[in-house]
Amino acid sequence: MRRLAVLVMLLSAGLLSALIAVPPMRGDFTVAHWGAEGPGFVFAVGIDDTPHNITLFTKEGFDMWMKDEPGAAVYNGMLRRGDFLIIETPPGRYVLAVYPLPFLNGRTQTYTGSYSGWAPVGVMSLPREPSAFGAAAGYFEVRRLKARGFKYESREPGVNGTSIQLNAMVVLELADGGRQYYFVQNTVSLLTDNGRYDFLVNIYNHTSRSKVLSRGAMSGRGGVSWSVYAWSYYGYRTREERLSLPLSGFLIINVTAVGGVAKIDFGYNVGGGVVWYDSVMIRPYAPVERAYILAGHAVTPIYSIASLELVLCAYGGGTFYAELEDVDVRLALLVWDDGRWRPAPRIFNFGFNTAEAVSLNVEARLVNGTVRITKGVFKPQLL
């Protein structure tokens, strides 16, 4: 068993002085800065085979360290491939340093981030070793849900709604030895104030920094458009249906390679059988030999992590944050593996790969095989 496979630390304001450590002097390093107005957490995912130091500083401690003076650290330790470090933090200013700098093909091999007050909440599968699956399914049961939407953390009003997103990283292995990566989303969007819901497909290119999708290489019921953030995406949305809670069902993503072409099917089932509402064909410059969903400690060429997620988020479309006023939602994540559906391996109660988030005035606990999201105090953890 790996040491520090999952380490969760709680750093309340009263414990900071008790957890002071003095890190070793630095070599080459990379840092991430952020400020937390409220309680939050920082995470780091080990991807590189070579262990390396990881240190969480207060801003003041980091400034001392930069002067080649011993800098007091909130946390100091080693990060190895397959490790997942989570540190809960009180309000304050922080700097996360990774050193000696781990590189692979010119890119750092540690995935880090932080949340303060908001996060995508639900189920994330992140196996220690990268794993390939032919399909993924997300079960959702919405019993109570009411939220106020905001476009930005400044609380500019947005759409009062939420979304439940099944997010996956799809890999295409090509005949010439190349690989392409696509971030795909199958989403149920819920306008609880208006009593309406619909389903949404999004596909983004995560192979290159340009994030460009070729209209000629993709076909489905939707189309390729440009976003206000200067990258292109494929999108398709169903017509709205009347929403009556409770609402339960499944979101499904199925990936195959047929005749040198990748086929991604998007479906849902809210009673009465599976409805495959969009099928997207991708025809790259070389024939596709294999297509699958990738989940695990691996990153794409643009440094997004290969997580598989079913998460409760804001509505989207420019509304990035949803403050939950009432919530009782149950989620479960399944993968198609070895000819049958299995529970997704190694699950956590928050996600990475989406721009939308909900307020962390909730708890997300594993109850009878599903992650139940209700009002409470959020604790990020392995479930």
Side-chain angles (χ1 to χ4, degrees), residues 43-66:
F43 56 85
V45 180
I47 298 168
D48 185 44
D49 287 327
T50 303
H52 44 274
N53 297 292
I54 186 162
T55 302
L56 178 63
F57 293 96
T58 62
K59 180 62 168 60
E60 294 76 13
F62 178 74
D63 290 342
M64 291 176 61
W65 194 59
M66 286 295 292

Side-chain angles (χ1 to χ4, degrees), residues 184-187 199-203 233-238 264-267 277-280:
V184 304
Q185 297 180 295
N186 188 359
T187 298
F199 296 91
L200 171 68
V201 169
N202 281 323
I203 300 177
Y233 68 97
Y234 172 93
Y236 174 70
R237 188 162 220 141
T238 67
I264 308 176
D265 297 311
F266 298 86
Y277 71 98
D278 198 9
S279 293
V280 180

